[in-house]
Amino acid sequence: MRFFIIPFLLLIIGCKHENALIIRQPEKFVKADITPSAVDSLITNEDVSEYMRKIDTNFSNFSVADIELLHGRRKPEVDSIMKLRMKELGISNSFYKADFDNNGYSDLLVLGGWRLGADSPEDELAYDCFLIMNFENNTSKIFELQKDFRNFDVPEIRYYEGREPLLVIHSSENMDYKNPTTKQITETKLTGKFGVFTEYNEKPAAVKIERIEYEAGPCLGTCPMFKMTINKDGAATFFAEYYNFSEGSDVDFNKPEGTFKTNLKNQEFEQLMNVLNYIDFKNLKNQYSVRYTDAPIADITITYDNGKTKHIYDNGMKGTYGLRAVYGLLADLRFNQDWVKVK
């Protein structure tokens, strides 16, 4: 791996439910000692595959496999270019361990592939890559690193002096698939410092967020549909429409699942506010869209700094890594807060 030195980030620290953000220079970086966890005991590709399946049963058709067995869903020429980039970066294994948020637990970077059908050959896996963040009490969270399932994106762990490592995504997203070249590969630096993955930002914003209004819309499937509002004091309302607590045929489209209220816990409230400022939401695009249909929709409006507003409509919910992190945090709030049903 290559080593680089980059400037320290400013720390953004949220005050308790007042959202008066304080910016200060960070203390000297101290690398955390690794506390042994289940991740550290994983040795083989099959170990990692089984670990992922235990975390999420949706990975039953996913296998951590040798690089040679992985194929993109585009032209073979793209596969060749991206595998050449892997070779240049010294990526020869199917999983790597590093502590991306310096919490003292090893995280897991995984390269593998999906079997596209029960009859598909075991040596033809559709490439995908994931990062498993590891927390205390052997809890974990899986993040998909490819923004488009048709990409062949290569993740590189890049180490720096005096800070956490970054994850650099070498992407085929903007390739001309009729005439792909290595010059068309794009790079995006990601940080996991908030326990989620966002684009690395040397100059985070520092605005006072007054209100968040969020809606997760439908897809052609069982995507959760809900609305949520969060005020600057942490007061929140959650309107559960469909697929939040019920699945498939259990859903009654004439009967939404309910309306709930709570005051958000400090930890999750501050994490959300800090991530929003870190990704500098006010300077993101107003609209994003994937290049395929039937994808879920995110619609978010953020009121800040005495009534200013930012509205983002995201068809596919993949506009940026930072936005994906925000959507994930909002979705998690449905289940990690003490909601009281009011209707």
Side-chain angles (χ1 to χ4, degrees):
M1 296 294 177
R2 294 171 286 182
F3 290 78
F4 299 83
I5 300 176
I6 57 177
F8 282 119
L9 289 171
L10 292 176
L11 285 182
I12 301 179
I13 301 176
C15 295
K16 181 179 179 181
H17 284 193
E18 294 296 332
N19 208 29
L21 296 179
I22 301 172
I23 298 181
R24 67 181 184 186
Q25 292 293 335
E27 299 176 358
K28 183 178 179 180
F29 177 80
V30 178
K31 181 175 172 56
D33 294 329
I34 295 298
T35 300
S37 67
V39 168
D40 299 295
S41 66
L42 304 176
I43 299 175
T44 67
N45 288 349
E46 185 56 32
D47 289 342
V48 177
S49 296
E50 286 298 320
Y51 178 72
M52 295 180 72
R53 292 166 193 153
K54 288 180 181 178
I55 297 174
D56 189 337
T57 56
N58 290 318
F59 284 90
S60 59
N61 290 325
F62 181 83
S63 295
V64 182
D66 293 340
I67 302 299
E68 293 76 16
L69 302 180
L70 306 177
H71 305 279
R73 306 191 195 195
R74 293 287 192 174
K75 297 178 66 175
E77 292 85 348
V78 175
D79 289 12
S80 298
I81 289 172
M82 300 312 294
K83 287 184 179 181
L84 176 61
R85 176 56 58 93
M86 284 183 174
K87 185 176 181 180
E88 293 171 350
L89 296 171
I91 298 173
S92 57
N93 297 329
S94 301
F95 64 91
Y96 293 87
K97 301 171 186 178
D99 185 3
F100 287 98
D101 56 355
N102 199 44
N103 69 346
Y105 296 93
S106 298
D107 304 311
L108 190 63
L109 173 63
V110 177
L111 287 72
W114 300 92
R115 293 190 65 183
L116 299 182
D119 299 328
S120 62
E122 293 186 4
D123 61 349
E124 292 185 9
L125 298 174
Y127 174 78
D128 212 338
C129 52
F130 297 87
L131 198 292
I132 304 174
M133 295 292 284
N134 190 13
F135 308 104
E136 62 182 350
N137 299 322
N138 277 321
T139 57
S140 55
K141 190 172 181 64
I142 300 178
F143 296 90
E144 185 175 19
L145 298 176
Q146 298 210 132
K147 289 178 67 177
D148 189 316
F149 69 91
R150 297 169 297 183
N151 290 358
F152 196 129
D153 295 346
V154 175
E156 172 204 3
I157 302 175
R158 194 173 290 181
Y159 290 91
Y160 297 77
E161 182 178 315
R163 60 151 300 135
E164 307 92 341
L166 296 182
L167 193 62
V168 181
I169 304 299
H170 302 256
S171 179
S172 66
E173 182 177 17
N174 295 324
M175 275 190 173
D176 177 357
Y177 289 102
K178 295 181 179 179
N179 185 30
T181 67
T182 56
K183 292 182 180 180
Q184 297 164 358
I185 298 174
T186 58
E187 293 186 15
T188 302
K189 293 180 181 178
L190 305 180
T191 176
K193 66 176 299 174
F194 293 106
V196 294
F197 271 85
T198 69
E199 287 82 357
Y200 171 71
N201 186 4
E202 292 186 355
K203 297 181 179 180
V207 304
K208 293 183 178 181
I209 298 172
E210 298 163 356
R211 184 176 174 85
I212 300 168
E213 299 167 85
Y214 176 69
E215 179 175 0
C219 67
L220 186 62
T222 58
C223 299
M225 298 170 59
F226 67 96
K227 298 176 182 178
M228 190 175 293
T229 60
I230 302 171
N231 293 324
K232 64 181 180 180
D233 61 356
T237 301
F238 163 39
F239 173 52
E241 295 184 88
Y242 311 108
Y243 299 118
N244 295 279
F245 308 114
S246 54
E247 298 180 1
S249 59
D250 295 333
V251 171
D252 182 352
F253 290 104
N254 295 313
K255 186 178 179 181
E257 295 168 325
T259 301
F260 305 80
K261 291 184 179 293
T262 194
N263 285 300
L264 298 184
K265 299 173 185 177
N266 290 345
Q267 180 175 342
E268 288 79 17
F269 178 84
E270 292 175 1
Q271 181 187 27
L272 176 61
M273 297 301 172
N274 286 339
V275 170
L276 281 168
N277 267 287
Y278 185 82
I279 68 175
D280 194 11
F281 67 87
K282 59 186 173 56
N283 286 318
L284 297 178
K285 296 179 182 178
N286 294 328
Q287 186 167 331
Y288 296 91
S289 183
V290 294
R291 294 173 289 181
Y292 49 88
T293 58
D294 305 326
I297 295 170
D299 192 305
I300 187 168
T301 299
I302 302 170
T303 305
Y304 66 99
D305 285 355
N306 297 317
K308 296 178 182 177
T309 60
K310 175 68 176 183
H311 176 242
I312 298 173
Y313 181 85
D314 191 345
N315 177 24
M317 301 178 75
K318 296 191 178 219
T320 69
Y321 286 97
L323 283 173
R324 287 166 63 180
V326 169
Y327 305 151
L329 292 175
L330 289 166
D332 289 346
L333 291 175
R334 295 173 299 158
F335 305 113
N336 62 18
Q337 302 298 301
D338 299 322
W339 296 101
V340 175
K341 190 171 185 178
V342 296
K343 185 176 180 181

